Structures are given as C-alpha cells and as structure tokens.
C-alpha cells in the first residue's frame, strides 16, 4: 500500500496545508494512517485518502459547502452520484450564464485593452500590483458573482462574513498560532465556496482590491460589502498572505540553518517564493534578461519590506505569533532578502565568499543556540542529538511551495469542466 506525506499530497492534488488541517477538524477528511511506526508520528495518506482530497476539491468548485460535501462523500454510492449530478447541473447553469456575460463584455473590449492586459503580467513591483488590472479583474469577478446570484445567496455570504469577522474580533495575540491559522482557513473556505480558494499571490491582490476605496466607488458596488466589512476582508487577506509567507520562510531558513539544504538550494527557493508571494510565479520561469533581473530584485525588496511592516504593525502583528516561528527574527528576514537579491542576477556564488557564507553560519549558530536554550539543553551531553530530534518533529518535510500555482489552478478548472461535460 502506498503512503504519502502531507507535502506529497499537496503536490499531487493542489490542496493547501490549511485546507487539509481544516478538513480533518471538520471530519470531511479522515486519515487512517497516523504513522505510529513512522518517525515523528506524522500523518500518512493512502491512495484512497488522496482520491478523497481530489473529490473534496472538485466538489468545492461546484459551490457545495463543506457540510454538504461531508454528507455526500459519506453517503451510499448511488446517493453520492445523484448529489454530484445535481451539483454539476447547478454549476453548468451558472457557467452558461457567466459565459454569456463574458461574451457580451468581450465585444466591447478594444484590442488595446487586451494588449494592456497581456503586458500587465510582466509588471515587477508591489506598487504596480496595487494599480494593476489584476486587482480590477478581481473586483469585476466579485461584481459578476453578485449580478448572477440571488438575494438569498448574497445574504448568506454577508451573514457568513459577518460571523467570521465577529469571531476574529474576539481573538487576540494570546489565542495561539494554530487558532489563528484555523480561523484563516475557515475564512478562506467561506470565500472559496463563492469565488474559489485564493492562492497566496491572489490573497495579496485581493487585499489591495478591498483596501482601495476608489475602485469600489468606480464599480458602484456598495450593496455587497459595506466599508467596515471591506476593511475587515482586506485585513484578513493580508494576514493570510503574511502567515503563509512567514511560515514558509521559517521552514526554509530552519532547513538552511540545520544544513539539510545547501545555501544555493535555499537561494533558488527564495526566488521562486518571492515570485509566488507577489502573484507572479511566471517570472521565475522567464528567460534570463536584465529586465527580469530588475523585476525580481524590486519584488524581493518590496515583499520583505511588506512582511516586516506587517510583523511590526500594531493591529496585525500580534496575531502572527512570531515566537512560534523562531527562524524569521528580524536579522534573519534581512538575510533571506539579501540572499534573494544576490541570487536574482546570478551573483550568489560571488556573494558567498564575500561574507555571505560567514553570515549564514553566524545566524545559524545564533538560531541553534536559541533553540537549545529554549529546550533547556545547554548542559546536556546529547544537546545536538536532541536538537536534531526536535527539528525532525517540528519541520518533518522539505521546504516547498504551500499553495496552488497557476498551473494547478488551471488543472482544477479543467477537472470542473470535465465534470460538467460528463
């Protein structure tokens, strides 16, 4: 029997770590293999579990809520097929309506606008992102949803958002990292049921979209979200973006400091990470050029500046529980940024002997000493061995992207279309 780790299931299905955790909590996904005989006692998934993850993702795309999905997947096979067919029929009707609207709107588009949209994919800074067509497209997608759904659908969305925002207002910095992550997963589930689960790059785009009052006034879309709700949604997406980014950076730096990956490998992952965080994963695969180099450098500076400003922000910073992410203290964030900048123009090999390698090892030693002190192992003969055991339990998987890429999002959409056609 094949067994898969969380990271492998994420890569195979496109599901995110918060999604899997939320599905376990709600009883939608029950993993029988808990790895009792495996080191660190971590969850392992069978082929059947992986297929169930794919089914959950597919059913979410039809607009079903997690409660309905749980009932469908636990029902006898005949009832399950009937429920899926009904959901597909509803989705087909919605898709037909949306297709007509898109066709009508495309007639009015000029060739110049289409070229501008195509060119917009190559912008290279978060400042440009705030003013990009991607943000406006997000707003228009929300507007299309409002126009194609009933008053009851809109009211349910508003009620769900009001409830989840009220829950957030009751949280504080002492709530704990897992509590905040669970809340973010439930917020994204509410959003994902209507508009699709956002990737980490889309979270940043949506933050800017909801933050920009001018765009909402231009669209005259006051009926769906009032100003207070829009600000709460903007904060939620920014917090979700920052928590994903910081958790991934903590993971990556911890593996670097424990020598489980080389500095060169870490620097390559950092470039990919910066592109993902800015919602521009295609930049990582573009051919080498001066323009691409400058784009990635600006993105690296902007992404790390934004992360630092969020961590220091009085309103959002306390919710990030930075004490539980020991590898991303201020100097280490600066180190990660400098590694990304050095690697952006293929200058990492030159950066290493000019103080880079010494700096990495210095920060790694401080990090390891801090963990040993926190674990109370200063005088223990087996401190290094205990540290290694703690590391394997705390960071069981190699660092990698924790979100859907554009390619995986397209694969999800393709599965939905195949379901409709069948």
């Amino acid at each position: 029997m094949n067994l898969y780790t969380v990271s492998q299931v994420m890569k195979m299905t496109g599901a995110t770590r918060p999604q899997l955790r939320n599905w376990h909590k709600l009883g939608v996904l029950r993993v029988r293999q808990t790895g009792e005989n495996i080191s660190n006692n971590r969850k392992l998934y069978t082929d059947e579990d992986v297929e169930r993850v794919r089914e959950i993702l597919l059913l979410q795309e039809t607009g079903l809520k997690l409660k309905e999905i749980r009932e469908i997947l636990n029902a006898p096979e005949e009832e399950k097929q009937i429920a899926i067919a009904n959901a597909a029929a509803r989705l087909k009707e919605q898709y037909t309506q949306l297709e007509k609207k898109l066709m009508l709107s495309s007639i009015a588009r000029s060739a110049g606008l289409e070229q501008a949209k195509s060119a917009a994919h190559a912008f290279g800074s978060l400042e440009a992102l705030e003013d990009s067509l991607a943000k406006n497209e997000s707003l228009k997608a929300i507007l299309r949803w409002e126009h194609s759904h009933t008053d009851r659908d809109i009211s349910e969305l508003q009620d769900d958002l009001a409830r989840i925002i009220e829950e957030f207002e009751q949280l504080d910095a002492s709530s704990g990292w897992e509590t905040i992550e669970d809340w973010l997963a439930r917020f994204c589930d509410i959003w994902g049921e209507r508009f699709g689960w956002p990737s980490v790059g889309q979270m940043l785009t949506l933050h800017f979209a909801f933050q920009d009052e001018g765009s909402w006034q231009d669209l005259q879309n006051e009926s769906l979200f009032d100003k207070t709700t829009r600000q709460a949604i903007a904060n939620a997406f920014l917090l979700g973006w920052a928590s994903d980014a910081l958790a991934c950076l903590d993971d990556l730096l911890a593996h670097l400091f424990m020598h489980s990956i080389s500095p060169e490998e870490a620097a390559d992952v950092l470039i990919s990470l910066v592109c993902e965080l800015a919602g521009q994963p295609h930049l990582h695969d573009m051919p080498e050029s001066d323009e691409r180099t400058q784009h990635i450098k600006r993105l690296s500076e902007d992404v790390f500046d934004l992360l630092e400003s969020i961590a220091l922000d009085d309103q959002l910073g306390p919710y990030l529980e930075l004490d539980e992410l020991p590898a991303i203290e201020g100097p280490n964030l600066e180190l990660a940024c400098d590694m990304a900048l050095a690697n952006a123009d293929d200058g990492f090999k030159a950066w290493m002997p000019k103080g880079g390698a010494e700096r990495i090892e210095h920060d790694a030693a401080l990090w390891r000493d801090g963990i040993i002190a926190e674990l109370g192992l200063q005088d223990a003969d087996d401190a290094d061995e205990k540290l290694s055991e703690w590391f394997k339990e705390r960071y069981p998987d190699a660092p990698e992207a924790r979100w859907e890429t554009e390619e995986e999002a397209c694969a999800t959409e393709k599965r939905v279309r195949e379901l409709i056609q069948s």
Side-chain angles (χ1 to χ4, degrees):
M1 176 173 55
N2 295 322
L3 295 176
Y4 307 97
T5 65
V6 170
S7 293
Q8 288 173 321
V9 173
M10 289 162 58
K11 186 176 293 185
M12 294 166 65
T13 65
T16 64
R17 198 179 297 267
Q19 280 179 305
L20 294 173
R21 185 186 297 117
N22 195 38
W23 295 343
H24 286 302
K25 182 178 179 181
L26 297 177
V28 183
L29 180 64
R30 295 187 179 90
V31 178
R32 300 172 196 66
Q33 298 291 335
T34 56
E36 290 87 349
N37 298 321
I38 306 297
S39 63
N40 304 321
N41 194 33
R42 65 181 187 267
K43 286 187 174 67
L44 296 175
Y45 295 73
T46 63
D47 288 316
E48 184 179 353
D49 296 324
V50 173
E51 187 57 34
R52 189 174 178 97
V53 169
R54 292 193 176 110
E55 287 183 327
I56 294 170
L57 287 168
L58 188 59
L59 290 173
Q60 276 194 320
E61 291 293 332
T62 68
L64 290 171
K65 297 183 178 181
L66 286 175
K67 181 180 178 181
E68 297 171 309
I69 292 174
R70 182 177 60 197
E71 293 173 356
I72 288 174
L73 294 180
N74 292 335
E77 188 61 26
E78 185 175 350
E79 293 180 22
K80 182 193 298 186
Q81 294 303 324
I82 293 174
I84 292 175
N86 290 337
R90 290 197 302 272
L91 183 60
K92 184 176 183 180
E93 182 180 353
Q94 293 175 13
Y95 178 76
T96 301
Q97 293 175 356
L98 180 58
E99 198 172 40
K100 289 179 180 177
K101 289 179 180 291
L102 290 173
M103 188 182 301
L104 290 173
S105 64
S106 67
I107 295 173
R109 290 177 183 163
S110 66
L113 179 57
E114 289 298 329
Q115 290 175 1
K117 285 186 175 183
S118 178
H121 287 293
F123 61 74
S125 72
L126 296 181
E127 183 179 352
L129 181 61
E130 293 187 45
D131 252 344
S132 72
L133 284 168
K135 179 186 68 177
N136 291 333
E137 287 299 320
S138 296
L139 294 176
K140 289 176 182 177
I142 295 168
L143 188 61
R144 285 196 296 268
W145 183 89
E146 181 184 13
H147 289 168
S148 62
H149 284 71
T150 66
D151 291 341
R152 179 179 176 181
D153 295 328
I154 294 171
S155 179
E156 286 182 353
L157 170 60
Q158 291 170 332
D159 289 345
D160 286 346
L161 286 172
R163 186 186 70 255
I164 201 74
I165 290 170
E166 183 180 356
E167 287 182 21
F168 180 73
E169 291 172 348
Q170 295 172 0
L171 299 176
D172 56 37
S174 63
S175 299
W177 179 252
E178 288 191 1
T179 302
I180 300 298
E181 283 198 317
D182 284 342
W183 180 87
L184 285 168
R186 286 184 286 113
F187 169 81
C188 287
D189 266 331
I190 290 173
W191 189 263
E193 286 172 1
R194 281 82 174 186
F195 308 107
W197 187 282
S199 68
V200 68
Q202 289 169 335
M203 285 185 186
L204 188 60
T205 301
L206 287 163
H207 160 72
F208 287 134
F210 277 90
Q211 189 78 9
D212 184 3
E213 288 298 319
S215 295
W216 285 94
Q217 292 169 3
D218 291 341
L219 291 173
Q220 298 179 347
N221 195 25
E222 293 286 343
S223 60
L224 190 56
F225 308 113
D226 60 32
K227 185 175 181 178
T228 301
T229 302
R230 288 200 299 272
Q231 185 58 55
I233 293 173
N235 287 341
F237 279 126
L238 187 60
L239 187 60
W241 177 82
S243 67
D244 257 358
L246 293 172
C248 195
L249 281 169
D250 177 76
D251 198 356
L252 174 62
L253 289 171
H255 278 81
L256 172 66
F257 293 160
M258 286 294 289
H259 306 298
S260 65
I261 60 172
S262 69
E264 291 75 15
E265 290 174 316
D268 285 340
V269 174
L270 278 168
I271 294 296
S272 177
L273 174 60
V274 164
C275 294
E276 290 277 4
L277 291 175
Q280 302 174 58
H282 61 284
L283 280 177
H284 182 256
D285 300 319
M286 286 176 62
E288 294 288 342
S289 68
D290 290 341
E291 184 180 13
R292 173 188 178 275
T293 296
Q294 294 307 314
H295 281 346
I296 293 179
K297 281 187 172 182
R298 286 198 298 271
L299 282 177
S300 298
E301 292 173 345
D302 288 344
V303 162
F304 282 99
D305 282 348
L306 183 56
L307 283 172
E308 185 177 350
S309 67
I310 296 170
L312 296 175
D313 183 81
D314 291 338
Q315 185 178 7
L316 295 180
Y319 292 103
L320 291 171
E321 288 291 321
L322 299 179
D323 290 344
E324 297 188 32
L325 300 172
I328 57 164
E329 295 179 353
N332 295 345
L333 273 183
E334 185 179 346
L335 170 66
C337 181
D338 289 346
M339 288 176 66
L341 290 172
N343 200 38
D345 58 358
D346 202 25
F348 191 76
K349 290 182 180 179
W351 179 81
M352 284 289 285
K354 293 180 179 179
E358 183 180 351
R359 185 175 165 194
I360 290 173
E361 195 49 50
H362 174 267
D363 288 359
L366 290 178
W367 177 81
R368 289 194 293 265
D369 289 346
I371 298 300
I372 287 174
E374 184 179 328
L375 297 175
L377 302 174
Q378 296 98 320
D379 301 322
D381 294 334
D382 58 350
D384 289 339
E385 183 180 344
K386 293 293 185 183
L387 174 63
S388 180
E389 292 176 0
W390 171 87
F391 172 76
K392 289 177 181 178
E393 183 175 354
R394 175 66 175 79
Y395 303 96
D397 302 310
E400 58 185 13
R402 301 173 176 217
W403 42 78
E404 285 188 346
T405 62
E406 287 185 354
E407 181 180 350
E408 290 166 340
C410 289
T412 300
E413 182 179 349
K414 181 179 179 180
R415 290 198 298 270
V416 175
R417 291 174 185 268
E418 288 173 344
L419 173 62
I420 293 171
Q421 292 169 3
S422 65

